[in-house]
Amino acid sequence: MSELSERKKQILAAVVEQYIKTGEPVGSKGLLSSTGMAVSSATVRNEMSELAAMGYLEQPHTSAGRIPSQKGYRYYVDHLMKPREIDELNRRIIDAGISSAAGDPERLVTRAGEVLADLTKCASVSTAPGGDAMIIRRIELVPVGTHSAMLVLLTSNGILKSRLCRLDCELTAKICEEFYNIVQSCIIGKPAADISVASMQTVAASVDGDAFTMLPLMAAVCELARSTASSRIMLGGGSNLFSYKDYGSSAVELLEFLSKSEPLSALFDGARDSLDIKIGRENLYRQLENSSVIIAKYTVGGDESGTLGIVGPTRMDYEKIIPSVKYLTDLVGRLITQAIEE
């Protein structure tokens, strides 16, 4: 990629920022009035023509003005956008929006997605903490009847799951004691992803007492472990996409696409950095060719645990949105870590 002159950089940045703000093609006169550059309109037109020839700008056939191309947005995000911290107002909105859910990791991530969608006016995508490295930290058996108990499972990432379990026989103190012995020796400290039906059947069969008594409890543990090991994908603010004229009638197709978990999982898996920005056709899917996807990973206890991100038109305010995504992601990871440590 050839290096741009300082004047071309200034003009490209101005076109991107003005187009993001207005949604209208940018002409040389409008650009001069917004930037105050001490050059002639003809000079700006020549520079814009060269930027178009280099692939950074495009010219809609119905207008004399220019708009950024995907390549222009990419160069702007990578080289021209001014690094910014989140502003005080957005920081307060985020803090207030998720503070009430701080003690529950899944609820916290869900609420964070809702706040992000409201703040950015885009669709938000997020995953609760999960992954193969998640360890089972604690299991409680709470009798609620003579033949039933509530099983509660807590993971190292702070995920809390519960399930009602019914037994064919009476739930005695001896059965509870046997259950806790099995849990301590065979389950606590193991990765949730390693707890399978086969492994639980083997554990139940190793009990000195009646193995069939333990099977419903072991099956319930297996279901809880499986539900925590898989990261649930959440979509928020999808209706925001209908407000952008950039999408037109394709907003419906995009929303249907985002409602499917398989392509979203691929998006998350494809994000290699802590903050990943894909613009237009950089995304793998045709439905995203007019969208930008910003995905950030949050860490819990120093380990990558989940993701937060947005999907919106390529004409989005990157300079404002990216600091909000970064701040919210860091805050979610910090709050979950604190909840676990407490």
Side-chain angles (χ1 to χ4, degrees):
M1 182 181 294
S2 59
E3 181 62 27
L4 299 182
S5 67
E6 289 304 314
R7 188 158 64 194
K8 281 187 172 63
K9 290 179 182 178
Q10 185 180 2
I11 289 173
L12 177 58
V15 170
V16 172
E17 290 166 3
Q18 193 165 324
Y19 183 64
I20 286 173
K21 184 183 296 184
T22 67
E24 299 294 334
V26 181
S28 58
K29 291 182 179 178
L31 189 145
L32 279 174
S33 64
S34 66
T35 61
M37 293 177 64
V39 294
S40 68
S41 181
T43 298
V44 173
R45 280 197 302 274
N46 289 337
E47 294 281 27
M48 292 174 74
S49 294
E50 291 181 21
L51 284 166
M54 297 167 73
Y56 294 102
L57 297 180
E58 296 174 348
Q59 184 174 20
H61 67 278
T62 58
S63 171
R66 309 278 180 168
I67 65 173
S69 64
Q70 175 186 305
K71 182 179 178 181
Y73 281 122
R74 181 83 265 170
Y75 192 90
Y76 172 79
V77 169
D78 290 344
H79 303 289
L80 305 180
M81 187 175 66
K82 303 177 185 68
R84 279 176 51 181
E85 296 295 325
I86 186 171
D87 62 55
E88 183 66 16
L89 176 60
N90 286 345
R91 186 189 66 77
R92 290 185 178 184
I93 289 173
I94 289 173
D95 290 350
I98 70 173
S99 60
S100 62
D104 182 337
E106 284 195 293
R107 184 165 164 253
L108 175 65
V109 174
T110 300
R111 183 64 190 132
E114 294 169 349
V115 170
L116 192 58
D118 288 342
L119 198 62
T120 63
K121 306 306 178 189
C122 295
S124 69
V125 287
S126 56
T127 60
D132 295 340
M134 189 162 53
I135 303 299
I136 296 177
R137 185 176 178 183
R138 187 173 180 178
I139 296 177
E140 293 290 339
L141 181 67
V142 183
V144 294
T146 56
H147 292 76
S148 60
M150 183 66 71
L151 274 173
V152 182
L153 182 148
L154 177 68
T155 71
S156 57
N157 282 351
I159 297 298
L160 194 68
K161 296 282 186 179
S162 62
R163 184 187 185 281
L164 185 65
C165 182
R166 299 187 184 280
L167 289 79
D168 294 331
C169 62
E170 183 178 350
L171 184 62
T172 63
K174 184 174 184 297
I175 291 175
C176 292
E177 182 180 356
E178 288 177 349
F179 175 77
Y180 278 117
N181 287 338
I182 292 172
V183 165
Q184 289 299 324
S185 61
C186 303
I187 300 175
I188 299 299
K190 298 287 195 306
D194 289 355
I195 307 301
S196 64
V197 173
S199 66
M200 289 299 95
Q201 288 175 338
T202 301
V203 168
S206 68
V207 179
D208 292 336
D210 187 356
F212 288 101
T213 301
M214 285 293 130
L215 279 176
L217 294 173
M218 293 298 100
V221 169
C222 182
E223 288 183 17
L224 289 175
R226 186 166 56 237
S227 68
T228 60
S230 59
S231 297
R232 183 166 63 93
I233 298 174
M234 293 161 278
L235 174 68
S239 60
N240 287 338
L241 301 178
F242 291 106
S243 64
Y244 292 102
K245 65 179 183 180
D246 311 63
Y247 287 127
S249 60
S250 66
V252 174
E253 183 185 14
L254 177 57
L255 197 53
E256 289 178 353
F257 170 81
L258 293 176
S259 67
K260 300 173 182 177
S261 59
E262 185 176 337
L264 288 184
S265 295
L267 285 180
F268 291 139
D269 293 342
R272 300 304 177 193
D273 300 320
S274 58
L275 179 72
D276 190 72
I277 303 167
K278 287 188 169 61
I279 300 171
R281 290 180 297 278
E282 292 174 359
N283 293 291
L284 297 176
Y285 298 96
R286 174 187 59 79
Q287 293 87 344
L288 295 170
E289 64 182 13
N290 293 318
S291 299
S292 286
V293 180
I294 300 175
I295 293 175
K297 299 178 181 180
Y298 60 85
T299 60
V300 175
D303 298 319
E304 290 182 354
S305 295
T307 51
L308 282 166
I310 61 161
V311 178
T314 53
R315 188 180 64 87
M316 66 168 64
D317 192 344
Y318 299 92
E319 196 172 69
K320 182 179 180 181
I321 288 175
I322 290 172
S324 294
V325 173
K326 284 182 177 179
Y327 178 81
L328 181 56
T329 307
D330 290 343
L331 181 59
V332 166
R334 191 163 64 249
L335 288 175
I336 295 176
T337 300
Q338 290 174 357
I340 294 172
E341 292 176 347
E342 292 172 357

